[in-house]
Amino acid sequence: MVIPGLAQQSARSCLVGRAPSRPDTAARPRRRGAVLAAAAGGRGEPDPYALLQVSRGASRRAIRAAYIERIKLLHPDVSPPGEDTTAAAAALNAAYEALMDGFSGSWDSEEEEDGDPLSVFDQPEAEPDQLFVNPFAVYNISPLQWEELQAAARAAEAAGQDPWSALQQQGVQCSEGAFVYLSPAQLAALEAELATASAAMDVIRMEAAAYFVSDCLLRARVANNRMPTSAGRWG
């Protein structure tokens, strides 16, 4: 089954190859600049709550989410050439550690009973039997088409076809390493990140998502390979 237009440029703004438009170009330096400025602070030690932009009394989950959102923007892979974000990243790390050290008890306390949502990439909650195609490891498809890409791969799998071969026949260029089997919670976390990044329609935000997805998949491959499974078919 061929998905019309899957291997063609999306009608929406494309983040692979030549982008027809970049609606948030002016906002990109402002977003990173705000993080850098907050990390630099003024005189004295910066307020960790202000640095992470969380309210006093914020939960560990809220602090963790705010930290991840900001540290991704400072990663060398998504920073402009020549921009040194080492000091800003160090300030964010220090603020995060200071706020997290203020909590007592474990992550599975009543307030934080669900724990760190990203811990599933180190300790999967279930068998990794959900197919995921890394849209950033596909060479001729916009990452904005990640949903269509997943649907095409899963349709091929449901039809008893090899997903990689099926997508190759549809003109999709990618390596077999783009196909990974994840647990349900792992899959949900990555799809939520991709949905948020796609909705932002911002190149820098999508680049940050690429780093996030790559890091999570690396952790998942290690953790999932330790799990006994009846499927035995993840990457």
Side-chain angles (χ1 to χ4, degrees), residues 190-212:
L190 293 189
E191 289 186 337
E193 173 69 16
L194 288 169
T196 301
S198 298
M201 292 293 289
D202 175 69
V203 175
I204 289 295
R205 183 66 182 80
M206 189 62 80
E207 289 174 348
Y211 167 71
F212 176 85

mmCIF file of all heavy atoms in Angstrom, residues 190-212:
data_model
loop_
_atom_site.group_PDB
_atom_site.id
_atom_site.type_symbol
_atom_site.label_atom_id
_atom_site.label_comp_id
_atom_site.label_asym_id
_atom_site.label_seq_id
_atom_site.Cartn_x
_atom_site.Cartn_y
_atom_site.Cartn_z
ATOM 1 N N LEU A 190 7.843 9.785 23.503
ATOM 2 C CA LEU A 190 8.423 10.306 22.270
ATOM 3 C C LEU A 190 7.371 10.955 21.381
ATOM 4 O O LEU A 190 7.615 11.998 20.763
ATOM 5 C CB LEU A 190 9.136 9.186 21.506
ATOM 6 C CG LEU A 190 10.392 8.610 22.168
ATOM 7 C CD1 LEU A 190 11.105 7.675 21.204
ATOM 8 C CD2 LEU A 190 11.329 9.712 22.619
ATOM 9 N N GLU A 191 6.192 10.357 21.311
ATOM 10 C CA GLU A 191 5.136 10.933 20.482
ATOM 11 C C GLU A 191 4.668 12.270 21.053
ATOM 12 O O GLU A 191 4.344 13.194 20.296
ATOM 13 C CB GLU A 191 3.971 9.956 20.353
ATOM 14 C CG GLU A 191 4.317 8.748 19.490
ATOM 15 C CD GLU A 191 3.129 7.841 19.233
ATOM 16 O OE1 GLU A 191 2.166 7.878 20.034
ATOM 17 O OE2 GLU A 191 3.155 7.097 18.229
ATOM 18 N N ALA A 192 4.647 12.392 22.372
ATOM 19 C CA ALA A 192 4.269 13.665 22.990
ATOM 20 C C ALA A 192 5.298 14.743 22.662
ATOM 21 O O ALA A 192 4.943 15.897 22.377
ATOM 22 C CB ALA A 192 4.133 13.499 24.501
ATOM 23 N N GLU A 193 6.584 14.386 22.704
ATOM 24 C CA GLU A 193 7.639 15.344 22.376
ATOM 25 C C GLU A 193 7.537 15.781 20.918
ATOM 26 O O GLU A 193 7.643 16.971 20.605
ATOM 27 C CB GLU A 193 9.010 14.711 22.631
ATOM 28 C CG GLU A 193 10.193 15.535 22.174
ATOM 29 C CD GLU A 193 10.409 16.808 22.980
ATOM 30 O OE1 GLU A 193 9.828 16.914 24.080
ATOM 31 O OE2 GLU A 193 11.158 17.689 22.511
ATOM 32 N N LEU A 194 7.309 14.837 20.012
ATOM 33 C CA LEU A 194 7.201 15.161 18.595
ATOM 34 C C LEU A 194 5.970 16.019 18.310
ATOM 35 O O LEU A 194 6.019 16.939 17.491
ATOM 36 C CB LEU A 194 7.157 13.879 17.765
ATOM 37 C CG LEU A 194 8.481 13.110 17.676
ATOM 38 C CD1 LEU A 194 8.257 11.733 17.063
ATOM 39 C CD2 LEU A 194 9.498 13.897 16.857
ATOM 40 N N ALA A 195 4.875 15.724 18.989
ATOM 41 C CA ALA A 195 3.657 16.508 18.801
ATOM 42 C C ALA A 195 3.863 17.950 19.245
ATOM 43 O O ALA A 195 3.448 18.894 18.568
ATOM 44 C CB ALA A 195 2.493 15.873 19.556
ATOM 45 N N THR A 196 4.524 18.129 20.382
ATOM 46 C CA THR A 196 4.780 19.474 20.888
ATOM 47 C C THR A 196 5.716 20.244 19.968
ATOM 48 O O THR A 196 5.481 21.415 19.654
ATOM 49 C CB THR A 196 5.390 19.406 22.295
ATOM 50 O OG1 THR A 196 4.483 18.723 23.172
ATOM 51 C CG2 THR A 196 5.668 20.795 22.841
ATOM 52 N N ALA A 197 6.778 19.577 19.512
ATOM 53 C CA ALA A 197 7.739 20.238 18.628
ATOM 54 C C ALA A 197 7.109 20.579 17.287
ATOM 55 O O ALA A 197 7.357 21.657 16.726
ATOM 56 C CB ALA A 197 8.958 19.339 18.428
ATOM 57 N N SER A 198 6.283 19.702 16.753
ATOM 58 C CA SER A 198 5.636 19.953 15.470
ATOM 59 C C SER A 198 4.666 21.119 15.569
ATOM 60 O O SER A 198 4.572 21.954 14.660
ATOM 61 C CB SER A 198 4.891 18.699 14.999
ATOM 62 O OG SER A 198 5.787 17.625 14.792
ATOM 63 N N ALA A 199 3.937 21.188 16.671
ATOM 64 C CA ALA A 199 2.969 22.269 16.856
ATOM 65 C C ALA A 199 3.661 23.621 16.944
ATOM 66 O O ALA A 199 3.097 24.647 16.551
ATOM 67 C CB ALA A 199 2.131 22.017 18.099
ATOM 68 N N ALA A 200 4.891 23.639 17.449
ATOM 69 C CA ALA A 200 5.621 24.905 17.589
ATOM 70 C C ALA A 200 6.032 25.484 16.244
ATOM 71 O O ALA A 200 6.224 26.691 16.115
ATOM 72 C CB ALA A 200 6.857 24.697 18.466
ATOM 73 N N MET A 201 6.179 24.617 15.221
ATOM 74 C CA MET A 201 6.587 25.061 13.886
ATOM 75 C C MET A 201 7.849 25.923 13.953
ATOM 76 O O MET A 201 7.943 26.978 13.331
ATOM 77 C CB MET A 201 5.445 25.830 13.214
ATOM 78 C CG MET A 201 4.249 24.973 12.853
ATOM 79 S SD MET A 201 4.611 23.772 11.553
ATOM 80 C CE MET A 201 4.765 24.843 10.136
ATOM 81 N N ASP A 202 8.817 25.470 14.728
ATOM 82 C CA ASP A 202 10.043 26.217 14.947
ATOM 83 C C ASP A 202 11.225 25.299 14.697
ATOM 84 O O ASP A 202 11.272 24.177 15.224
ATOM 85 C CB ASP A 202 10.074 26.765 16.380
ATOM 86 C CG ASP A 202 11.387 27.455 16.700
ATOM 87 O OD1 ASP A 202 11.642 28.523 16.139
ATOM 88 O OD2 ASP A 202 12.141 26.915 17.521
ATOM 89 N N VAL A 203 12.154 25.718 13.878
ATOM 90 C CA VAL A 203 13.274 24.867 13.495
ATOM 91 C C VAL A 203 14.129 24.488 14.698
ATOM 92 O O VAL A 203 14.510 23.325 14.870
ATOM 93 C CB VAL A 203 14.142 25.561 12.417
ATOM 94 C CG1 VAL A 203 15.379 24.723 12.095
ATOM 95 C CG2 VAL A 203 13.325 25.796 11.156
ATOM 96 N N ILE A 204 14.447 25.464 15.547
ATOM 97 C CA ILE A 204 15.274 25.182 16.713
ATOM 98 C C ILE A 204 14.562 24.206 17.647
ATOM 99 O O ILE A 204 15.174 23.295 18.209
ATOM 100 C CB ILE A 204 15.628 26.481 17.460
ATOM 101 C CG1 ILE A 204 16.621 27.303 16.623
ATOM 102 C CG2 ILE A 204 16.228 26.195 18.833
ATOM 103 C CD1 ILE A 204 17.967 26.634 16.438
ATOM 104 N N ARG A 205 13.257 24.376 17.805
ATOM 105 C CA ARG A 205 12.492 23.459 18.673
ATOM 106 C C ARG A 205 12.521 22.054 18.112
ATOM 107 O O ARG A 205 12.624 21.081 18.865
ATOM 108 C CB ARG A 205 11.042 23.968 18.794
ATOM 109 C CG ARG A 205 10.181 23.129 19.740
ATOM 110 C CD ARG A 205 10.692 23.243 21.171
ATOM 111 N NE ARG A 205 9.925 22.426 22.081
ATOM 112 C CZ ARG A 205 10.092 21.120 22.240
ATOM 113 N NH1 ARG A 205 11.028 20.468 21.552
ATOM 114 N NH2 ARG A 205 9.352 20.444 23.107
ATOM 115 N N MET A 206 12.455 21.908 16.802
ATOM 116 C CA MET A 206 12.513 20.584 16.197
ATOM 117 C C MET A 206 13.912 19.982 16.314
ATOM 118 O O MET A 206 14.060 18.778 16.519
ATOM 119 C CB MET A 206 12.084 20.650 14.738
ATOM 120 C CG MET A 206 11.909 19.283 14.077
ATOM 121 S SD MET A 206 10.614 18.265 14.862
ATOM 122 C CE MET A 206 9.141 18.970 14.130
ATOM 123 N N GLU A 207 14.938 20.820 16.212
ATOM 124 C CA GLU A 207 16.306 20.328 16.389
ATOM 125 C C GLU A 207 16.506 19.834 17.819
ATOM 126 O O GLU A 207 17.188 18.832 18.047
ATOM 127 C CB GLU A 207 17.304 21.432 16.052
ATOM 128 C CG GLU A 207 17.380 21.753 14.571
ATOM 129 C CD GLU A 207 18.262 22.942 14.265
ATOM 130 O OE1 GLU A 207 18.629 23.663 15.225
ATOM 131 O OE2 GLU A 207 18.572 23.173 13.087
ATOM 132 N N ALA A 208 15.941 20.546 18.781
ATOM 133 C CA ALA A 208 16.019 20.101 20.169
ATOM 134 C C ALA A 208 15.297 18.779 20.348
ATOM 135 O O ALA A 208 15.752 17.899 21.083
ATOM 136 C CB ALA A 208 15.427 21.165 21.092
ATOM 137 N N ALA A 209 14.170 18.616 19.665
ATOM 138 C CA ALA A 209 13.432 17.351 19.732
ATOM 139 C C ALA A 209 14.251 16.213 19.142
ATOM 140 O O ALA A 209 14.204 15.080 19.634
ATOM 141 C CB ALA A 209 12.096 17.475 18.992
ATOM 142 N N ALA A 210 15.017 16.512 18.096
ATOM 143 C CA ALA A 210 15.869 15.487 17.483
ATOM 144 C C ALA A 210 16.886 14.964 18.486
ATOM 145 O O ALA A 210 17.130 13.750 18.584
ATOM 146 C CB ALA A 210 16.571 16.053 16.258
ATOM 147 N N TYR A 211 17.494 15.880 19.242
ATOM 148 C CA TYR A 211 18.454 15.456 20.273
ATOM 149 C C TYR A 211 17.752 14.650 21.358
ATOM 150 O O TYR A 211 18.245 13.616 21.800
ATOM 151 C CB TYR A 211 19.138 16.677 20.884
ATOM 152 C CG TYR A 211 19.891 16.362 22.151
ATOM 153 C CD1 TYR A 211 21.061 15.618 22.121
ATOM 154 C CD2 TYR A 211 19.395 16.771 23.386
ATOM 155 C CE1 TYR A 211 21.734 15.301 23.294
ATOM 156 C CE2 TYR A 211 20.067 16.463 24.551
ATOM 157 C CZ TYR A 211 21.230 15.727 24.498
ATOM 158 O OH TYR A 211 21.876 15.408 25.654
ATOM 159 N N PHE A 212 16.588 15.126 21.784
ATOM 160 C CA PHE A 212 15.817 14.444 22.822
ATOM 161 C C PHE A 212 15.474 13.023 22.390
ATOM 162 O O PHE A 212 15.669 12.057 23.139
ATOM 163 C CB PHE A 212 14.539 15.241 23.101
ATOM 164 C CG PHE A 212 13.613 14.587 24.093
ATOM 165 C CD1 PHE A 212 13.785 14.771 25.456
ATOM 166 C CD2 PHE A 212 12.558 13.799 23.660
ATOM 167 C CE1 PHE A 212 12.923 14.175 26.363
ATOM 168 C CE2 PHE A 212 11.689 13.204 24.565
ATOM 169 C CZ PHE A 212 11.875 13.386 25.921
#
